[in-house]
Amino acid sequence: MSELERAAVQLWEAKRLAEYDDVVHGRLALLLLDNAAETSLMRSAKSSFIYAEAYGNMAYLLRDLDPDDAEGQQLKRDIDAKSLSKRRRKQVERNFDDLVDYVFGRDGLGLEPEFAECLKILHRYRNAAYHRDSVRPDVLGPAVQIYFFLCCHLVRSERHVVHEIAAIPPSVAEIFGDRMPVTTWPGGAMDSADLARELADFFLTSRGLDHVGVAVALSDHLLARLGDLDRDLVKVAESIPPGINRRAVLQLVQQAPVDREDYDKDPPADFWTRSVPVTEETLTQWRSASAGLRGVDGAYQALREFAAVEQPLERLEEPVGRFVLSIDRAEQQAFDDWRGR
């Protein structure tokens, strides 16, 4: 119950901060939600660790099984598949993407696989927002909405080996206010799993996060990022006198060397004509698909279509971002030189 209380307070504070609807508070809300997602996933993972350890012990007992025992060897393979190596466990405990893959790879979680990719996407965005001091509110606001939706469903679907029946913590009762859930347990006690579901539904309702609302947030987030990308592409084009067109910019940013040892190499003869993953037509398709998300009435389908655009978009944002950073540094250096610094 204490773990659920911490999750409830964390979501409540994220909700409170998000309602300011500005970057200052939104960044803090995103940090809280990212931690809430990770800790919720870890609670589910730790429940699975218990079973994995039991299977590991069984596999150890079968280590000397007769190689000719076909049925026994099949049983051993089945048990091995359900155990967890120390190396894999460390990966799950230390890396967010591995944690997501592990939890969503278990049976009985009850969440669609689209949630997994979107959790990874929002975690990456959280990292970017954390390390950048300037974040656009039209990108951040929808990201907070989407992450809130995902966190609520994670808490609602957490897996535990045992449930606790106890009094509702005062801090959680304060969150519910006059909308306290009905319980049949004596003394107002409640099953922790039931309370988790009630809390998730309470937060989803209070934030207006139904399927349509999430689809709109997903659309707004992508359209805002595409707007940022467009401005960055214009900046790159204008930084190369006398200016180059959009097609040339896309050729340049997607083929520019990344490693220092490649900087001095001559570009290939077909540098300006070879095919690249993203073209102007691709960007048009992304804008159309992103706007179309607003008409999707199911959150799962919306999350799937969101990921289909966001993943290649993120791969393009990275090299474009490097160019913009280099341009900004060059402009700052020129300004410093002019000032004699």
Side-chain angles (χ1 to χ4, degrees), residues 94-290:
R94 294 176 181 176
N95 183 273
F96 186 86
D97 285 6
D98 286 317
L99 174 60
V100 172
D101 290 339
Y102 178 75
V103 172
F104 277 79
R106 305 301 94 188
D107 295 329
L109 184 63
L111 290 177
E112 298 295 324
E114 290 78 18
F115 273 73
E117 287 307 313
C118 287
L119 282 167
K120 295 176 185 178
I121 287 169
L122 269 296
H123 180 70
R124 289 200 307 271
Y125 179 74
R126 171 266 174 197
N127 287 342
Y130 177 74
H131 291 293
R132 287 201 306 264
D133 191 45
S134 59
V135 179
R136 290 179 57 88
D138 55 348
V139 181
L140 179 62
V144 169
Q145 285 281 82
I146 300 160
Y147 220 164
F148 207 104
F149 178 83
L150 297 177
C151 283
C152 287
H153 282 278
L154 281 178
V155 170
R156 201 178 197 284
S157 303
E158 278 184 26
R159 297 176 64 191
H160 298 277
V161 177
V162 294
H163 296 177
E164 182 182 357
I165 297 170
I168 298 175
S171 59
V172 176
E174 185 179 349
I175 289 171
F176 280 117
D178 59 2
R179 294 167 58 186
M180 280 286 289
V182 177
T183 176
T184 57
W185 290 98
M190 197 166 188
D191 183 293
S192 57
D194 292 337
L195 183 58
R197 288 189 287 270
E198 291 285 352
L199 274 167
D201 291 342
F202 171 83
F203 282 122
L204 289 169
T205 301
S206 62
R207 288 293 292 164
L209 293 172
D210 56 8
H211 285 246
V212 174
V214 170
V216 170
L218 290 164
S219 173
D220 289 345
H221 180 76
L222 283 179
L223 288 172
R225 283 174 61 182
L226 285 166
D228 274 351
L229 177 68
D230 186 70
R231 285 183 283 274
D232 286 344
L233 291 172
V234 169
K235 186 170 187 175
V236 173
E238 292 176 346
S239 72
I240 304 174
I244 57 176
N245 61 30
R246 179 63 59 88
R247 188 194 68 79
V249 172
L250 290 170
Q251 292 289 133
L252 177 62
V253 297
Q254 292 178 85
Q255 297 184 88
V258 176
D259 301 319
R260 287 188 176 277
E261 56 267 25
D262 295 329
Y263 286 177
D264 295 329
K265 293 181 180 178
D266 292 331
D270 62 346
F271 183 90
W272 296 109
T273 57
R274 65 167 51 182
S275 61
V276 290
V278 179
T279 63
E280 185 64 30
E281 291 74 21
T282 308
L283 295 176
T284 300
Q285 291 169 3
W286 287 352
R287 283 189 286 268
S288 177
S290 300

Side-chain angles (χ1 to χ4, degrees), residues 56-126:
N57 292 335
M58 284 189 277
Y60 180 78
L61 294 174
L62 295 173
R63 67 191 184 283
D64 295 327
L65 195 67
D66 186 345
D68 296 328
D69 183 352
E71 186 175 347
Q73 288 296 332
Q74 181 58 52
L75 175 63
K76 186 175 182 300
R77 284 192 292 271
D78 292 341
I79 290 174
D80 281 338
K82 296 177 181 178
S83 61
L84 188 68
S85 68
K86 289 182 179 180
R87 178 176 176 274
R88 176 61 177 151
R89 177 164 175 164
K90 285 182 179 179
Q91 288 177 326
V92 170
E93 291 175 331
R94 294 176 181 176
N95 183 273
F96 186 86
D97 285 6
D98 286 317
L99 174 60
V100 172
D101 290 339
Y102 178 75
V103 172
F104 277 79
R106 305 301 94 188
D107 295 329
L109 184 63
L111 290 177
E112 298 295 324
E114 290 78 18
F115 273 73
E117 287 307 313
C118 287
L119 282 167
K120 295 176 185 178
I121 287 169
L122 269 296
H123 180 70
R124 289 200 307 271
Y125 179 74
R126 171 266 174 197

